[in-house]
Amino acid sequence: MKILLVDDDNDKARDVSRVLLEAGVHDQRDIEHVTNAYDAAQALRRSKFDLLILDLVIPNTKTDDPKADGGKLLLRDINGRPGFIHPTYIIGLTSFDDARENSTIDFNRGLWTIIKFDRSSSDWIDMIRSRIRYIQSSEAATTAGANYGVDLAVVCALREPELRAVLGHDYDWQKTEKPLDPTIYWKGTWQDRKGNLRTIVAASAGNMGLVAASSLTAKMAMHFRPRVIGMCGICAGREGDTELGDVIVANPSWDYGSGKFSNGDGGSDFAPHPTQIPLSPTLRRVAEMVADDGSFLDSLRRSYSGSPPKTALKLRIGPMASGAAVRADDSFFEELAKANRKVLAVEMEAYGVFATANEMPSPRADVLVVKGVSDFANSNKEDSFQDYAAYVSSACLLEMIERHFSE
């Protein structure tokens, strides 16, 4: 594996190199470090790199001062000018929030990721390690000739209402079983918009929660080797930022119970320290397409046979927290916001699906979790919109998958 690290901060570059070596890069000589855009361009014209880690605030040459848009301009040169040997993967890395915001569009255009570098947090370390594992597993799968099985595996928390909503879509479902496995699986097919025959499998866990969802995800990944693992169902939304019936696409997902308890003046205090797993850029793009398709969402709302919420159906992409239990507590979301201030939803399974899929052997699946808001996790919690939330979340998940495989 060959990596180009572009960063004018030598201390930061040493920290990143150490993480790369700990993550499985075999030799320091596999990491080429340059400090400016000119030297990076020369390297990218000379060699093929598996991964480019690009600081966003870099100088043009060794003698220049760093520029706030130096990394962004280099990325535009790589994409727009001839003579560059494109790296397989690109990661942006910055300590500066304004540089990140100014470069987001350019990185999204190439489906690349920007990571916040923060020595007080391990999130950037976890994300780099995850990318290195992904590259290594992709290389191993290519070498070994590993193949995917089905196109989509749908993990449902329960048979009612989640799995019932999925099986309500016409995929010519057939019941199937695996030896020594108590789970009942449903396999189906559909023809995508290009005329290709696609395959789907769906199942429900025996119980709600992270452990049950994780176990089912692992079994489906091993049995069926899906390209995408999807999950639909119900969640609690953040009142004021969501409406009942809204569909939430998890990005990122984390376990809100991950952290540390310590003794404080008024008793024990909890300091959250979660690993947040993002949605893949490719699936985020199709989620954004569906979110912008008002006619599809309006038609979906009107197609529900029961009584939908009074508000228009909206699809929102945002942070979703998972935990062992969901509380009916008016202050719950204020606590969750300590880990991610933009949190939109909370439920009991998504992180288990993301985390398990990330650790499975190759060929590894992407993950897409889509859930409908059935309550606000407050003292007025009630269940009247669960069927609607399951209905619209399953339809949105399948619409995203259809568009994903038809591009």
Side-chain angles (χ1 to χ4, degrees):
M1 183 187 305
K2 293 187 65 176
I3 297 173
L4 178 62
L5 173 57
V6 185
D7 200 314
D8 63 318
D9 183 335
N10 289 323
D11 290 336
K12 185 170 123 190
R14 279 191 292 270
D15 289 342
V16 174
S17 295
R18 172 181 51 79
V19 170
L20 292 170
L21 293 169
E22 291 173 352
V25 177
H26 295 301
D27 195 299
Q28 181 70 50
R29 290 171 293 184
D30 294 327
I31 306 170
E32 183 172 345
H33 173 220
V34 298
T35 61
N36 59 86
Y38 176 82
D39 289 344
Q42 294 298 105
L44 289 164
R45 290 188 176 101
R46 181 181 66 247
S47 301
K48 170 69 176 179
F49 291 93
D50 298 292
L51 175 62
L52 166 64
I53 300 179
L54 177 60
D55 183 19
L56 301 184
V57 183
I58 56 172
N60 285 332
T61 69
K62 291 179 179 178
T63 58
D64 292 333
D65 292 328
K67 296 180 60 178
D69 60 352
K72 179 177 72 174
L73 294 177
L74 176 59
L75 182 63
R76 289 181 179 179
D77 285 346
I78 295 170
N79 291 327
R81 292 190 176 185
F84 285 92
I85 304 172
H86 288 197
T88 307
Y89 300 96
I90 300 175
I91 291 175
L93 189 64
T94 184
S95 305
F96 302 100
D97 291 334
D98 54 349
R100 181 177 184 173
E101 292 177 5
N102 291 335
S103 300
T104 295
I105 293 176
D106 289 271
F107 274 79
N108 286 350
R109 189 173 292 124
L111 303 181
W112 305 124
T113 300
I114 302 177
I115 298 174
K116 174 69 178 294
F117 179 83
D118 181 357
R119 285 192 172 90
S120 67
S121 169
S122 64
D123 287 353
W124 70 274
I125 296 175
D126 294 333
M127 294 182 73
I128 288 178
R129 285 175 176 167
S130 176
R131 178 55 62 187
I132 294 300
R133 288 196 300 267
Y134 181 86
I135 294 172
Q136 290 172 329
S137 64
S138 297
E139 292 174 343
T142 300
T143 302
N147 294 313
Y148 287 102
V150 302
D151 293 296
L152 172 65
V154 182
V155 176
C156 297
L158 293 174
R159 183 177 180 84
E160 296 286 345
E162 291 94 336
L163 180 60
R164 174 169 52 82
V166 174
L167 298 182
H169 296 269
D170 185 11
Y171 287 118
D172 190 22
W173 297 105
Q174 302 292 323
K175 185 185 295 187
T176 184
E177 299 181 26
K178 293 291 183 179
L180 306 179
D181 183 350
T183 299
I184 296 175
Y185 301 99
W186 296 86
K187 292 189 72 175
T189 59
W190 86 94
Q191 192 173 61
D192 69 21
R193 293 166 188 173
K194 291 183 176 180
N196 300 310
L197 188 67
R198 298 290 183 178
T199 50
I200 180 174
V201 61
S204 60
N207 297 285
M208 297 185 296
L210 290 167
V211 174
S214 179
S215 298
L216 181 56
T217 300
K219 290 198 296 183
M220 296 183 80
M222 296 297 288
H223 284 326
F224 302 106
R225 304 187 317 279
R227 295 180 184 274
V228 178
I229 295 175
M231 186 177 207
C232 54
I234 64 176
C235 65
R238 189 175 189 178
E239 192 168 14
D241 292 323
T242 66
E243 300 285 352
L244 290 174
D246 281 357
V247 173
I248 311 297
V249 177
N251 184 36
S253 170
W254 76 96
D255 176 4
Y256 67 74
S258 177
K260 180 180 180 181
F261 282 98
S262 58
N263 291 326
D265 294 337
S268 62
D269 292 326
F270 179 72
H273 189 71
T275 297
Q276 301 192 18
I277 304 179
L279 180 66
S280 77
T282 305
L283 292 176
R284 185 184 68 226
R285 180 173 178 270
V286 294
E288 290 170 348
M289 291 169 58
V290 175
D292 292 338
D293 191 342
S295 61
F296 166 76
L297 295 173
D298 182 60
S299 174
L300 174 59
R301 179 182 179 276
R302 287 187 285 105
S303 71
Y304 181 61
S305 60
S307 298
K310 295 179 180 180
T311 55
L313 175 57
K314 292 185 179 180
L315 187 146
R316 306 175 191 272
I317 304 165
M320 181 181 290
S322 301
V326 177
R327 290 160 30 193
D329 183 340
D330 292 334
S331 64
F332 191 23
F333 273 100
E334 298 309 313
E335 295 180 25
L336 297 177
K338 295 176 183 178
N340 191 315
R341 63 184 178 84
K342 296 182 179 180
V343 59
L344 288 181
V346 61
E347 46 75 81
M348 299 175 67
E349 296 87 19
Y351 182 76
V353 177
F354 272 98
T356 301
N358 275 3
E359 294 299 328
M360 293 305 298
S362 293
R364 187 173 293 117
D366 284 332
V367 174
L368 178 62
V369 175
V370 184
K371 294 207 171 186
V373 175
S374 62
D375 62 73
F376 294 126
N378 58 21
S379 55
N380 296 320
K381 185 177 175 69
E382 46 96 11
D383 302 331
S384 59
F385 289 119
Q386 287 189 356
D387 281 346
Y388 176 80
Y391 175 79
V392 293
S393 66
S394 67
C396 286
L397 169 67
L398 297 171
E399 177 67 16
M400 291 176 213
I401 294 299
E402 172 66 39
R403 297 190 189 204
H404 174 62
F405 286 121
S406 296
E407 290 195 315

